């Protein structure tokens, strides 16, 4: 079943209805739902859907020939092969003269890798033929660096030919409940923390009434689809999956600076940096610097994909129990016990997302939002502020704390937040926010009533 993506789908259909030539670029990490979006858009429309292969140019030409033939011969398994890609594109041109036709090239980077001239060929036929017609061309890819640099980039032959571009992101935490609307807010947050909002993973987790059962059946189970997903994805995307696995494992176990990571995996820093860049491009890792500061020695690496973060946090150290079928017996003590700690970072992500997307009214117009860390000069220790919202103009800042605890948050948290704001020291005025899974004490609520702080519960974030 197709959920979400209403904005992208509406925009694509509006462009289709206009009847003009379109070249839409759709890209995003694997499993995020690009092909599902395209299939939903193409439903009921005349379409040639070509999914490029990680294979030779000749094999891709055969696949394209079959895709063209299948448009009017739905059950075909073989087809005459065109003499060249130019001949196949010429046939697409003829078909588009008769009706408004959608032509999809899915996994375009595979085709461009197989035939280095394909982008130039597409540029030529767009400039001289297609742009004057009614063809709706879609180029889709999962390699974000390729799509951004070699399709959308200035040096690409296709630069300037796109009429629309869509970077498909994972779903937000607030979009998750559409899959399982009867679950509690805490369960919805946990599903977000496990899947990162990737629709494919949500579907494969297949939660019915109980998240624990779904995890035991579909992730913490050698027969489950999600059990080998990280390994399969690394093998599919990368030439040296073992090295990348070691790097992700190092980050998952606490190494965050590039020199720490390179030492942990036994690589020279410069060589390790190349692998790190690839993992950042894939969205598996992310680089983070204290907000308001430039990238430098404080820059750290974190696992940016929640599914990978969950898997590397809980699966490797419980691998023996999973493989021998004992995981059901130790699940509560070996895994579930640590969910509050694991969900702390996830909850911070959700709170920032809430302020950026869903808060009804904010005291400032946000320019950016992130976390900040630095040294407290008085106490000579490192501090971290979960949320710092920077202003589009002026020197008013949002300073926030996010607590995923089972007990109400009290006045001491506000006092700590005020002290942290003094250490941060960049604003003339601070607007304090405290987010809590389990509510607040009466004392803190009274201060909120006096306007000293804004208090947001997990339930508030889903309303």
């Amino acid at each position: 079943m197709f959920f979400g993506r209403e904005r992208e789908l509406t925009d694509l259909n509006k462009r289709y209805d206009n009847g003009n030539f379109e070249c839409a670029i759709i890209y995003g990490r694997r499993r995020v739902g690009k092909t599902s979006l395209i299939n939903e858009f193409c439903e009921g429309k005349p379409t040639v859907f070509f999914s490029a292969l990680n294979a030779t140019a000749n094999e891709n030409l055969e696949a394209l020939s079959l895709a063209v033939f299948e448009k009017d011969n739905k059950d075909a398994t073989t087809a005459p092969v065109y003499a060249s890609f130019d001949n196949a594109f010429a046939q697409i041109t003829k078909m588009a003269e008769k009706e408004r036709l959608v032509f999809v090239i899915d996994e375009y980077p595979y085709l461009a890798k197989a035939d280095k001239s394909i982008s130039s060929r597409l540029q030529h036929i767009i400039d001289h033929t297609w742009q004057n017609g009614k063809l709706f061309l879609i180029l889709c890819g999962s390699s974000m660096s390729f799509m951004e640099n070699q399709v959308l980039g200035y040096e690409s032959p296709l630069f300037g030919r796109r009429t629309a571009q869509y970077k498909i992101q994972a779903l937000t935490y607030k979009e998750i409940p559409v899959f399982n609307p009867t679950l509690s807010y805490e369960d919805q947050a946990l599903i977000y923390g496990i899947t990162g909002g990737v629709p494919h993973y949500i579907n494969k987790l297949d939660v019915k009434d109980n998240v624990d059962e779904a995890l035991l059946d579909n992730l913490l189970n050698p027969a489950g689809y999600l059990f080998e997903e990280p390994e399969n994805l690394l093998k599919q995307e990368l030439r040296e999956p073992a090295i990348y696995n070691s790097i992700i494992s190092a980050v998952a176990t606490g190494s965050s600076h590039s020199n720490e990571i390179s030492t942990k995996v036994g690589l020279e820093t410069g060589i390790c940096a190349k692998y790190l860049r690839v993992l950042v491009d894939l969205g598996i890792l992310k680089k983070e610097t204290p907000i308001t500061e430039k990238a430098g020695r404080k820059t750290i690496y974190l696992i940016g994909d929640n599914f990978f973060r969950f898997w590397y946090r809980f699966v490797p150290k419980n691998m023996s129990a999973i493989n021998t079928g004992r995981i059901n017996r130790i699940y509560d003590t070996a895994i579930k016990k640590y969910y509050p700690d694991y969900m702390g970072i996830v909850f911070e992500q959700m709170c920032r997302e809430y302020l950026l997307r869903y808060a009804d009214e904010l005291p400032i117009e946000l320019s950016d939002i992130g976390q900040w860390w630095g040294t407290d000069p008085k106490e000579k220790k490192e501090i971290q502020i979960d949320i710092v919202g920077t202003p589009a103009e002026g020197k008013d800042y949002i300073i926030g704390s996010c607590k995923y605890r089972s007990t109400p948050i009290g006045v001491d948290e506000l006092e700590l937040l005020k002290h942290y704001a003094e250490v941060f020291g960049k604003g003339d005025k601070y607007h304090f926010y405290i987010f809590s899974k389990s509510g607040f004490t009466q004392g803190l609520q009274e201060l909120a009533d006096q306007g000293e702080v804004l208090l947001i519960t997990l339930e508030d974030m889903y309303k």
Side-chain angles (χ1 to χ4, degrees), residues 200-419:
H200 185 69
Y201 296 154
I202 299 171
N203 285 324
K204 292 299 183 181
L205 187 59
D206 194 25
V207 178
K208 299 292 193 299
D209 301 312
N210 188 292
V211 180
D212 298 325
E213 289 180 6
L215 275 169
L216 289 166
D217 288 343
N218 301 310
L219 196 156
L220 304 171
N221 176 357
Y225 175 90
L226 295 174
F227 176 68
E228 292 187 338
E229 170 65 5
E231 181 181 355
N232 290 337
L233 195 58
L234 293 180
K235 286 179 179 177
Q236 186 176 2
E237 290 286 339
L238 305 166
R239 293 179 181 175
E240 300 169 288
I243 295 177
Y244 288 101
N245 176 67
S246 296
I247 291 172
I248 299 169
S249 296
V251 176
T253 53
S255 300
S256 57
H257 292 90
S258 58
N259 60 334
E260 295 173 338
I261 298 166
S262 60
T263 300
K264 188 78 174 283
V265 299
L267 290 173
E268 293 181 10
T269 303
I271 295 173
C272 188
K274 295 178 181 178
Y275 290 103
L276 287 168
R277 279 196 296 272
V278 172
L279 289 170
V280 170
D281 284 342
L282 288 173
I284 295 172
L285 297 186
K286 65 178 178 179
K287 291 172 69 173
E288 199 156 302
T289 302
I291 195 167
T292 74
E293 298 187 22
K294 294 181 180 179
R297 62 183 182 86
K298 283 189 174 183
T299 298
I300 60 174
Y301 288 89
L302 302 169
I303 297 183
D305 181 302
N306 276 343
F307 177 77
F308 272 74
R309 183 170 166 262
F310 184 92
W311 195 96
Y312 278 87
R313 170 71 182 272
F314 294 113
V315 173
K317 66 181 181 181
N318 291 294
M319 190 67 78
S320 175
I322 293 170
N323 283 327
T324 57
R326 294 181 291 111
I327 192 63
N328 294 56
R329 298 205 299 270
I330 67 169
Y331 171 75
D332 286 347
T333 55
I335 295 179
K336 190 172 183 178
K337 172 184 175 181
Y338 299 101
Y339 284 167
D341 175 62
Y342 172 80
M343 285 297 295
I345 292 177
V346 176
F347 191 52
E348 291 174 17
Q349 296 170 351
M350 293 170 61
C351 296
R352 294 182 199 122
E353 205 162 54
Y354 170 83
L355 291 173
L356 280 172
R357 292 174 177 265
Y358 300 118
D360 291 333
E361 189 174 333
L362 295 177
I364 65 171
E365 188 68 38
L366 283 175
S367 169
D368 198 4
I369 194 166
Q371 62 174 318
W372 183 89
W373 60 92
T375 303
D376 183 341
K378 291 182 180 179
E379 300 189 14
K380 301 289 191 287
K381 68 176 185 179
E382 189 88 356
I383 68 164
Q384 178 181 313
I385 304 175
D386 298 334
I387 291 177
V388 174
T390 61
E393 59 179 356
K395 298 194 73 176
D396 284 17
Y397 287 78
I398 287 176
I399 301 290
S401 175
C402 313
K403 299 300 175 188
Y404 203 79
R405 297 176 183 166
S406 298
T407 55
I409 305 303
V411 175
D412 57 336
E413 187 62 32
L414 177 59
E415 295 305 316
L416 188 63
L417 206 53
K418 288 179 178 179
H419 173 64

Side-chain angles (χ1 to χ4, degrees), residues 30 51-57 59-60 106-107 109-111 113-114 235-238:
R30 285 198 182 279
S51 186
L53 307 173
N54 189 11
T56 66
E59 289 171 296
N60 272 284
D106 198 8
E107 293 302 345
Y110 285 159
L111 179 61
K113 176 184 172 184
K235 286 179 179 177
Q236 186 176 2
E237 290 286 339
L238 305 166

